[in-house]
Amino acid sequence: LNTISNAALDAVVMTDPHGSIVHWNPAAERIFGYGREEILGRSVHEALVPPEYAARAAQGMREFAASGSGPVVGRVLEIEAMHKDGSRFPIEISVASIELGGKWWAVAFVRDITRRKRAEEALQKERRLLKQMLDLQERERKLVAYEIHDGLAQQLTGAMYKFQAVERLRDSDPPEAESV
């Protein structure tokens, strides 16, 4: 299992029933910045969870220790984690429970999704810009249609009225017809 874990591209982190880290693979070192020796034995929630979520996560760990289940077990979640340097980054995490010696241990599989999130944000930005461009194009089309309707159409209507006036006056008053 260590060979498989060490070859994994995703972080594999195992905690004991109290939330202390007991397994930390090379991908976890790369993703979180902690070396194996400096993280083993530390609380997973104190080291990797942003402070505003740590209390809730620790409470979830206590519930997990009693039952082997919880809101994060058996699901894939996108959450925020903390790097050793204190920076935050998005992760995708799935947690499995393992019963050993009558107690529940947690194994988490973690993927850094920073690049994916950036790509999603760039795509959203491009979609917003495209929508703005389409909206501007539609406004311009309406403006041109308005100008054609209110400008050219009025001029054509005026010319048509003049032609009709000339037509009526041509037989009855030719000099007046030429002045129109």
Side-chain angles (χ1 to χ4, degrees):
L1 289 175
N2 273 335
T3 302
I4 293 169
S5 173
N6 289 341
L9 298 176
D10 292 338
V12 179
V13 180
M14 185 172 183
T15 65
D16 67 14
H18 306 290
S20 296
I21 298 169
V22 295
H23 178 78
W24 188 258
N25 74 341
E29 291 181 1
R30 179 180 42 78
I31 291 172
F32 292 101
Y34 289 99
R36 178 177 161 73
E37 296 307 315
E38 66 183 314
I39 197 73
L40 290 179
R42 289 190 59 190
S43 165
V44 69
H45 299 112
E46 289 175 12
L48 308 179
V49 177
E52 63 269 23
Y53 305 121
R56 191 170 81 189
Q59 175 61 33
M61 188 67 194
R62 286 188 291 278
E63 293 170 11
F64 169 82
S67 66
S69 63
V72 299
V73 177
R75 298 177 54 200
V76 177
L77 301 172
E78 289 184 8
I79 60 173
E80 192 175 55
M82 278 191 7
H83 190 271
K84 179 182 178 179
D85 67 10
S87 63
R88 296 171 182 223
F89 62 100
I91 62 169
E92 187 175 81
I93 185 170
S94 62
V95 178
S97 58
I98 300 173
E99 187 176 13
L100 296 172
K103 295 188 178 185
W104 292 102
W105 299 59
V107 178
F109 303 91
V110 181
R111 176 174 292 159
D112 181 348
I113 57 171
T114 301
R115 288 182 14 205
R116 182 174 81 197
K117 288 295 188 180
R118 285 183 186 147
E120 288 172 358
E121 288 171 10
L123 182 60
Q124 289 296 335
K125 183 178 179 181
E126 286 181 22
R127 285 183 178 159
R128 283 191 302 272
L129 288 172
L130 180 59
K131 184 178 179 340
Q132 287 175 348
M133 287 174 52
L134 291 173
D135 289 347
L136 287 172
Q137 183 182 18
E138 178 63 16
R139 262 189 271 161
E140 184 68 21
R141 186 195 63 75
K142 285 180 179 178
L143 182 59
V144 168
Y146 176 78
E147 287 179 7
I148 288 172
H149 179 266
D150 287 1
L152 183 60
Q154 286 181 356
Q155 290 174 357
L156 289 173
T157 301
M160 191 173 71
Y161 284 142
K162 283 188 177 187
F163 286 134
Q164 288 173 351
V166 168
E167 182 89 13
R168 279 193 311 269
L169 293 173
R170 186 176 45 177
D171 293 333
S172 61
D173 191 358
E176 181 65 24
E178 282 187 30
S179 70
V180 174

